[in-house]
Amino acid sequence: MNAQGKLGIALVGLGEYSEKQLAPALQETNHCYLAAIVTGTPGKVDKWKGKYKIPDKNIYNYKSFDAIKENPDIDIVYIVLPNALHAEYVIRAARAGKHVICEKPMAITVEECDQMITACEEAGVMLSLGYRLHFEPYNLEMMRLGKEKPFGNWLSITAENGIQGTSGWRLDKSLAGGGPLMDLGIYCVQGCRYTTGMEPIAVTAKEAAKTDPEKFRSVEEGLSWVMEFPDNIKAACTTSYSKEMNKLRAEAENGWAELGPAYEYSGIKGQSSQGKMEFPEINQQAKQMDDFAQAIKDKRPSPVPGEMGRQDVIILQAIYKAMATGQRIEIG
Ligand code: NDP
């Protein structure tokens, strides 16, 4: 904690998300600040050091990472690495006695999620996920509508999240764990879970035909799936690396509500059968990180804990199983 009472965050992995979203957001936070960086690319250090005034003693690489244990400037470690590396670094951060935020998806297997949760429990540190939309007013409104039911019970949901084009580790199954489902479809799974406040009980899925089998040789290019929720609510979802889509829509007995775009960092818009939704624009990442810092200070649970990330990985794995087998897969 610094003199102003802010908790120190170490960003691990200085890629796009750290550079363009998290570090700028940490200039707007009230309860935490950017204290340290961990990078495997020495060429990035000078720029970060200069821009954010990070002292040399708070700069680490992946080999020296465990020495953060001795550094009282670091209270929270934020893992922003390719998906397959999340488990190792969350566990190492926990063993160094630091609270952890892990980016989505939590890991590429449920077993890894279990190990991460256990490591944090054993170390007595808190674990949360980078689920920024739980702090975003339009998505919070979908949660409220699901809870308070002003339109009656939900009947069905449509969730779509896709982008045109991707590259690098996201096309490599060994680092990403899968294709757009792991990266973008997870927002649809989340959207359906928090809009209904329920857990899916079964899933069916179908892979989209590949337009570029060479580029997408190790991961799917696109995928559609249907999640069955209690009360006969069905959620039809689609994700893709070759089509722009960004929507969350729920139909109820006496009305409907829709966000589009639903999952962006800013510019989210919403409407319902009662009219246009109007909420202030906020910095999602700043809110998310501040909430975790406050949760640590107040010794209260995070609204986006490791268990929530684990449940998403269970669902993602069931969707892949349904896709591979063509069968309806029940989710225990
Ligand atoms: P990038 O590819 O832009 O950055 C990943 C960084 O990880 C690299 O720059 C590198 O940083 C480090 N790294 C370490 N080992 C490897 C490796 N073997 N291959 C590639 N990079 C490596 O990815 P993003 O920043 O877009 O994504 C990182 C994580 O954040 C992912 O889990 C992703 O799902 C999540 N994410 C979440 C978002 C959200 O809205 N919540 C949005 C975007 C991403 P260095 O050179 O410093 O070592």
Side-chain angles (χ1 to χ4, degrees), residues 14 22 26 28-29 51 65 89 102 172 178 190 202 216 231 237 241 257 289 319 326 330:
L14 307 181
L22 298 176
L26 281 163
E28 294 184 27
T29 39
K51 193 163 179 188
F65 176 66
Y89 285 87
C102 178
D172 176 353
Q190 269 280 304
F216 295 102
D231 301 340
C237 306
Y241 273 151
M289 291 187 279
I319 295 168
E330 293 194 0

Side-chain angles (χ1 to χ4, degrees), residues 89-120:
Y89 285 87
V90 165
I91 291 167
R92 284 169 69 181
R95 289 188 180 150
K98 307 298 178 182
H99 302 288
V100 196
I101 311 175
C102 178
E103 258 315 319
K104 43 61 57 174
M106 180 167 167
I108 62 174
T109 67
V110 181
E111 293 71 28
E112 283 181 344
C113 296
D114 288 335
Q115 291 161 8
M116 294 154 86
I117 290 170
T118 303
C120 291

